Amino acid sequence: MNCLFKYSLDNKLPIELIYINNAGEMTYRTVIVRKITVEGILTFDIGKQKIRSFKLANILSAAKQRRKRGVNYAEII
């Protein structure tokens, strides 16, 4: 996961996180990493449009953002 955090930090590109908060609720976030610390990461949360921090121990999964593909229409001849 640290490689993905560094990728987002260096390239300013979003990554997707699955995170479990202190109440035990799992959340899905799309973020851009702003700072990496020993305890966690400081990010810009694209969905909430706010700066948020996440503890490394509570991050369940991280991945590069999937590209959304548009619909390809058949050409009418």
Side-chain angles (χ1 to χ4, degrees):
M1 279 194 291
N2 290 332
C3 293
L4 284 172
F5 300 151
K6 185 148 177 54
Y7 161 82
S8 177
L9 179 66
D10 293 343
N11 299 310
K12 296 180 176 46
L13 293 173
I15 58 173
E16 299 173 344
L17 298 179
I18 297 177
Y19 183 80
I20 188 163
N21 63 17
N22 291 334
E25 300 168 343
M26 290 177 52
T27 60
Y28 169 84
R29 306 273 185 207
T30 301
V31 300
I32 299 174
V33 177
R34 297 294 176 108
K35 185 177 181 182
I36 302 171
T37 65
V38 175
E39 296 145 0
I41 56 175
L42 185 67
T43 67
F44 177 75
D45 188 331
I46 294 173
K48 293 191 178 264
Q49 295 289 305
K50 292 184 179 181
I51 299 293
R52 310 246 331 175
S53 62
F54 297 96
K55 294 178 186 176
L56 289 178
N58 292 357
I59 298 173
L60 302 177
S61 175
K64 288 184 181 179
Q65 185 179 30
R66 289 183 243 155
R67 297 191 184 252
K68 296 181 179 174
R69 298 182 185 182
V71 176
N72 293 329
Y73 295 99
E75 184 177 327
I76 300 174
I77 299 175

Short mmCIF file of all heavy atoms in Angstrom, two decimals, residues 14-52:
data_model
loop_
_atom_site.label_atom_id
_atom_site.label_comp_id
_atom_site.label_asym_id
_atom_site.label_seq_id
_atom_site.Cartn_x
_atom_site.Cartn_y
_atom_site.Cartn_z
N PRO A 14 -5.66 10.33 -8.04
CA PRO A 14 -6.50 9.72 -7.01
C PRO A 14 -6.28 8.20 -6.89
O PRO A 14 -5.93 7.53 -7.86
CB PRO A 14 -7.92 10.01 -7.47
CG PRO A 14 -7.83 10.33 -8.90
CD PRO A 14 -6.45 10.82 -9.16
N ILE A 15 -6.47 7.72 -5.67
CA ILE A 15 -6.50 6.29 -5.40
C ILE A 15 -7.79 6.00 -4.64
O ILE A 15 -8.42 6.90 -4.09
CB ILE A 15 -5.27 5.80 -4.59
CG1 ILE A 15 -5.16 6.54 -3.25
CG2 ILE A 15 -4.00 5.93 -5.40
CD1 ILE A 15 -4.07 6.00 -2.34
N GLU A 16 -8.18 4.73 -4.61
CA GLU A 16 -9.41 4.31 -3.93
C GLU A 16 -9.03 3.59 -2.65
O GLU A 16 -8.14 2.74 -2.66
CB GLU A 16 -10.22 3.40 -4.84
CG GLU A 16 -10.65 4.08 -6.11
CD GLU A 16 -11.32 3.14 -7.10
OE1 GLU A 16 -11.20 1.91 -6.94
OE2 GLU A 16 -11.96 3.64 -8.03
N LEU A 17 -9.71 3.93 -1.56
CA LEU A 17 -9.47 3.30 -0.26
C LEU A 17 -10.74 2.65 0.25
O LEU A 17 -11.83 3.18 0.06
CB LEU A 17 -9.04 4.34 0.78
CG LEU A 17 -7.76 5.12 0.58
CD1 LEU A 17 -7.59 6.09 1.74
CD2 LEU A 17 -6.57 4.21 0.47
N ILE A 18 -10.58 1.53 0.94
CA ILE A 18 -11.64 0.98 1.77
C ILE A 18 -11.11 1.10 3.18
O ILE A 18 -10.03 0.61 3.51
CB ILE A 18 -11.97 -0.48 1.41
CG1 ILE A 18 -12.49 -0.55 -0.02
CG2 ILE A 18 -13.00 -1.04 2.39
CD1 ILE A 18 -12.77 -1.95 -0.51
N TYR A 19 -11.88 1.78 4.02
CA TYR A 19 -11.44 2.19 5.34
C TYR A 19 -12.48 1.79 6.37
O TYR A 19 -13.68 1.84 6.09
CB TYR A 19 -11.26 3.72 5.33
CG TYR A 19 -10.73 4.31 6.60
CD1 TYR A 19 -9.37 4.29 6.89
CD2 TYR A 19 -11.56 4.94 7.51
CE1 TYR A 19 -8.87 4.86 8.04
CE2 TYR A 19 -11.08 5.51 8.67
CZ TYR A 19 -9.73 5.47 8.93
OH TYR A 19 -9.23 6.02 10.07
N ILE A 20 -12.03 1.39 7.55
CA ILE A 20 -12.96 1.09 8.64
C ILE A 20 -12.73 2.14 9.72
O ILE A 20 -11.61 2.36 10.16
CB ILE A 20 -12.76 -0.35 9.16
CG1 ILE A 20 -13.85 -0.72 10.15
CG2 ILE A 20 -11.40 -0.57 9.75
CD1 ILE A 20 -13.97 -2.20 10.40
N ASN A 21 -13.81 2.83 10.10
CA ASN A 21 -13.66 3.89 11.10
C ASN A 21 -13.72 3.32 12.51
O ASN A 21 -13.88 2.11 12.71
CB ASN A 21 -14.70 4.99 10.88
CG ASN A 21 -16.13 4.52 11.04
OD1 ASN A 21 -16.39 3.48 11.61
ND2 ASN A 21 -17.05 5.31 10.54
N ASN A 22 -13.61 4.19 13.50
CA ASN A 22 -13.58 3.74 14.90
C ASN A 22 -14.90 3.13 15.35
O ASN A 22 -14.92 2.35 16.30
CB ASN A 22 -13.19 4.91 15.81
CG ASN A 22 -11.75 5.32 15.61
OD1 ASN A 22 -10.92 4.51 15.21
ND2 ASN A 22 -11.45 6.58 15.86
N ALA A 23 -15.99 3.45 14.67
CA ALA A 23 -17.29 2.87 15.00
C ALA A 23 -17.49 1.50 14.34
O ALA A 23 -18.52 0.86 14.55
CB ALA A 23 -18.41 3.82 14.59
N GLY A 24 -16.53 1.07 13.52
CA GLY A 24 -16.62 -0.22 12.86
C GLY A 24 -17.32 -0.19 11.52
O GLY A 24 -17.60 -1.23 10.94
N GLU A 25 -17.60 0.99 10.99
CA GLU A 25 -18.27 1.12 9.70
C GLU A 25 -17.23 1.16 8.57
O GLU A 25 -16.26 1.90 8.66
CB GLU A 25 -19.11 2.40 9.65
CG GLU A 25 -20.19 2.45 10.71
CD GLU A 25 -20.81 3.83 10.83
OE1 GLU A 25 -20.21 4.81 10.34
OE2 GLU A 25 -21.89 3.92 11.42
N MET A 26 -17.47 0.39 7.54
CA MET A 26 -16.58 0.39 6.38
C MET A 26 -17.03 1.48 5.41
O MET A 26 -18.20 1.61 5.12
CB MET A 26 -16.58 -0.96 5.69
CG MET A 26 -15.92 -2.04 6.50
SD MET A 26 -15.99 -3.67 5.76
CE MET A 26 -15.37 -3.39 4.14
N THR A 27 -16.06 2.26 4.91
CA THR A 27 -16.37 3.31 3.95
C THR A 27 -15.44 3.19 2.75
O THR A 27 -14.33 2.68 2.85
CB THR A 27 -16.23 4.71 4.57
OG1 THR A 27 -14.89 4.89 5.02
CG2 THR A 27 -17.18 4.91 5.72
N TYR A 28 -15.92 3.67 1.63
CA TYR A 28 -15.17 3.68 0.38
C TYR A 28 -14.85 5.14 0.07
O TYR A 28 -15.74 5.99 0.08
CB TYR A 28 -16.03 3.07 -0.72
CG TYR A 28 -15.48 3.24 -2.10
CD1 TYR A 28 -14.54 2.36 -2.59
CD2 TYR A 28 -15.92 4.27 -2.91
CE1 TYR A 28 -14.03 2.52 -3.86
CE2 TYR A 28 -15.42 4.44 -4.18
CZ TYR A 28 -14.47 3.56 -4.65
OH TYR A 28 -13.97 3.73 -5.91
N ARG A 29 -13.60 5.44 -0.18
CA ARG A 29 -13.17 6.82 -0.43
C ARG A 29 -12.28 6.89 -1.67
O ARG A 29 -11.50 5.98 -1.93
CB ARG A 29 -12.35 7.37 0.73
CG ARG A 29 -13.02 7.27 2.06
CD ARG A 29 -13.87 8.45 2.29
NE ARG A 29 -14.41 8.37 3.64
CZ ARG A 29 -15.53 8.92 3.98
NH1 ARG A 29 -16.22 9.60 3.11
NH2 ARG A 29 -15.97 8.81 5.20
N THR A 30 -12.40 7.96 -2.41
CA THR A 30 -11.48 8.28 -3.48
C THR A 30 -10.71 9.51 -3.02
O THR A 30 -11.31 10.55 -2.74
CB THR A 30 -12.23 8.56 -4.80
OG1 THR A 30 -13.00 7.41 -5.13
CG2 THR A 30 -11.25 8.83 -5.92
N VAL A 31 -9.39 9.37 -2.90
CA VAL A 31 -8.57 10.41 -2.29
C VAL A 31 -7.31 10.67 -3.10
O VAL A 31 -6.87 9.83 -3.89
CB VAL A 31 -8.17 10.03 -0.84
CG1 VAL A 31 -9.39 9.83 0.04
CG2 VAL A 31 -7.29 8.80 -0.82
N ILE A 32 -6.72 11.84 -2.86
CA ILE A 32 -5.39 12.17 -3.35
C ILE A 32 -4.52 12.40 -2.12
O ILE A 32 -4.85 13.22 -1.27
CB ILE A 32 -5.41 13.43 -4.24
CG1 ILE A 32 -6.29 13.18 -5.46
CG2 ILE A 32 -3.99 13.81 -4.65
CD1 ILE A 32 -6.51 14.40 -6.33
N VAL A 33 -3.43 11.68 -2.02
CA VAL A 33 -2.56 11.75 -0.85
C VAL A 33 -1.79 13.08 -0.86
O VAL A 33 -1.23 13.47 -1.89
CB VAL A 33 -1.58 10.56 -0.80
CG1 VAL A 33 -0.63 10.68 0.38
CG2 VAL A 33 -2.35 9.24 -0.73
N ARG A 34 -1.79 13.76 0.27
CA ARG A 34 -1.07 15.03 0.43
C ARG A 34 0.19 14.86 1.27
O ARG A 34 1.17 15.56 1.06
CB ARG A 34 -1.96 16.09 1.09
CG ARG A 34 -3.18 16.46 0.30
CD ARG A 34 -2.75 17.16 -0.99
NE ARG A 34 -3.87 17.44 -1.84
CZ ARG A 34 -4.35 18.64 -2.05
NH1 ARG A 34 -3.81 19.66 -1.46
NH2 ARG A 34 -5.37 18.79 -2.86
N LYS A 35 0.15 13.94 2.26
CA LYS A 35 1.28 13.74 3.16
C LYS A 35 1.23 12.33 3.72
O LYS A 35 0.15 11.83 4.03
CB LYS A 35 1.22 14.76 4.29
CG LYS A 35 2.41 14.73 5.22
CD LYS A 35 2.30 15.83 6.26
CE LYS A 35 3.50 15.80 7.18
NZ LYS A 35 3.38 16.83 8.23
N ILE A 36 2.39 11.70 3.84
CA ILE A 36 2.50 10.35 4.43
C ILE A 36 3.26 10.48 5.74
O ILE A 36 4.35 11.06 5.78
CB ILE A 36 3.24 9.40 3.48
CG1 ILE A 36 2.52 9.31 2.13
CG2 ILE A 36 3.37 8.01 4.11
CD1 ILE A 36 3.30 8.57 1.06
N THR A 37 2.67 9.95 6.83
CA THR A 37 3.34 9.95 8.12
C THR A 37 3.49 8.51 8.61
O THR A 37 2.99 7.58 7.97
CB THR A 37 2.53 10.76 9.17
OG1 THR A 37 1.29 10.10 9.39
CG2 THR A 37 2.29 12.18 8.70
N VAL A 38 4.11 8.34 9.75
CA VAL A 38 4.30 7.00 10.32
C VAL A 38 2.96 6.40 10.72
O VAL A 38 2.73 5.21 10.54
CB VAL A 38 5.25 7.07 11.54
CG1 VAL A 38 5.36 5.73 12.23
CG2 VAL A 38 6.61 7.59 11.12
N GLU A 39 2.05 7.22 11.23
CA GLU A 39 0.77 6.73 11.73
C GLU A 39 -0.32 6.67 10.68
O GLU A 39 -1.29 5.93 10.83
CB GLU A 39 0.31 7.61 12.89
CG GLU A 39 1.24 7.54 14.08
CD GLU A 39 1.34 8.88 14.79
OE1 GLU A 39 0.70 9.84 14.35
OE2 GLU A 39 2.07 8.93 15.78
N GLY A 40 -0.21 7.46 9.61
CA GLY A 40 -1.29 7.49 8.64
C GLY A 40 -0.98 8.36 7.44
O GLY A 40 0.17 8.69 7.17
N ILE A 41 -2.05 8.75 6.74
CA ILE A 41 -1.90 9.60 5.57
C ILE A 41 -2.87 10.78 5.68
O ILE A 41 -3.95 10.65 6.23
CB ILE A 41 -2.14 8.84 4.25
CG1 ILE A 41 -3.51 8.16 4.23
CG2 ILE A 41 -1.04 7.83 4.00
CD1 ILE A 41 -3.86 7.48 2.92
N LEU A 42 -2.43 11.91 5.18
CA LEU A 42 -3.27 13.09 5.08
C LEU A 42 -3.67 13.19 3.61
O LEU A 42 -2.81 13.14 2.73
CB LEU A 42 -2.49 14.33 5.51
CG LEU A 42 -3.28 15.63 5.56
CD1 LEU A 42 -4.33 15.56 6.67
CD2 LEU A 42 -2.35 16.80 5.79
N THR A 43 -4.97 13.30 3.35
CA THR A 43 -5.46 13.24 1.97
C THR A 43 -6.48 14.34 1.69
O THR A 43 -7.01 14.95 2.61
CB THR A 43 -6.16 11.89 1.71
OG1 THR A 43 -7.36 11.82 2.48
CG2 THR A 43 -5.27 10.72 2.03
N PHE A 44 -6.73 14.53 0.40
CA PHE A 44 -7.86 15.33 -0.04
C PHE A 44 -8.91 14.34 -0.50
O PHE A 44 -8.70 13.58 -1.44
CB PHE A 44 -7.47 16.28 -1.18
CG PHE A 44 -8.64 17.06 -1.70
CD1 PHE A 44 -9.15 18.12 -0.97
CD2 PHE A 44 -9.25 16.72 -2.88
CE1 PHE A 44 -10.24 18.84 -1.42
CE2 PHE A 44 -10.34 17.43 -3.36
CZ PHE A 44 -10.84 18.50 -2.63
N ASP A 45 -10.05 14.30 0.20
CA ASP A 45 -11.14 13.39 -0.11
C ASP A 45 -11.97 14.01 -1.24
O ASP A 45 -12.57 15.06 -1.08
CB ASP A 45 -12.01 13.17 1.13
CG ASP A 45 -13.06 12.09 0.95
OD1 ASP A 45 -13.51 11.88 -0.20
OD2 ASP A 45 -13.41 11.46 1.94
N ILE A 46 -11.97 13.36 -2.39
CA ILE A 46 -12.66 13.90 -3.57
C ILE A 46 -14.17 13.94 -3.36
O ILE A 46 -14.84 14.90 -3.74
CB ILE A 46 -12.27 13.10 -4.82
CG1 ILE A 46 -10.78 13.33 -5.12
CG2 ILE A 46 -13.12 13.51 -6.03
CD1 ILE A 46 -10.21 12.49 -6.21
N GLY A 47 -14.74 12.94 -2.74
CA GLY A 47 -16.18 12.89 -2.52
C GLY A 47 -16.68 13.96 -1.57
O GLY A 47 -17.71 14.58 -1.79
N LYS A 48 -15.95 14.19 -0.48
CA LYS A 48 -16.37 15.18 0.52
C LYS A 48 -15.79 16.56 0.26
O LYS A 48 -16.17 17.52 0.91
CB LYS A 48 -15.97 14.71 1.91
CG LYS A 48 -16.72 13.47 2.35
CD LYS A 48 -16.47 13.21 3.81
CE LYS A 48 -17.24 12.00 4.26
NZ LYS A 48 -18.51 12.32 4.86
N GLN A 49 -14.82 16.66 -0.67
CA GLN A 49 -14.16 17.92 -0.99
C GLN A 49 -13.53 18.55 0.25
O GLN A 49 -13.61 19.76 0.46
CB GLN A 49 -15.13 18.90 -1.66
CG GLN A 49 -15.63 18.44 -3.02
CD GLN A 49 -14.53 18.51 -4.07
OE1 GLN A 49 -13.93 19.54 -4.27
NE2 GLN A 49 -14.29 17.39 -4.74
N LYS A 50 -12.87 17.70 1.07
CA LYS A 50 -12.23 18.17 2.30
C LYS A 50 -10.93 17.42 2.52
O LYS A 50 -10.73 16.32 2.01
CB LYS A 50 -13.13 17.91 3.51
CG LYS A 50 -14.38 18.74 3.54
CD LYS A 50 -15.15 18.49 4.81
CE LYS A 50 -16.40 19.34 4.84
NZ LYS A 50 -17.16 19.16 6.06
N ILE A 51 -10.06 18.03 3.32
CA ILE A 51 -8.83 17.37 3.77
C ILE A 51 -9.21 16.40 4.88
O ILE A 51 -9.93 16.76 5.81
CB ILE A 51 -7.80 18.40 4.27
CG1 ILE A 51 -7.40 19.37 3.16
CG2 ILE A 51 -6.58 17.71 4.86
CD1 ILE A 51 -6.63 18.75 2.03
N ARG A 52 -8.75 15.14 4.76
CA ARG A 52 -9.07 14.11 5.75
C ARG A 52 -7.80 13.34 6.09
O ARG A 52 -6.91 13.23 5.26
CB ARG A 52 -10.10 13.13 5.20
CG ARG A 52 -11.31 13.76 4.60
CD ARG A 52 -12.55 13.53 5.30
NE ARG A 52 -12.54 12.26 6.00
CZ ARG A 52 -13.50 11.86 6.78
NH1 ARG A 52 -14.54 12.61 6.94
NH2 ARG A 52 -13.47 10.73 7.40
#
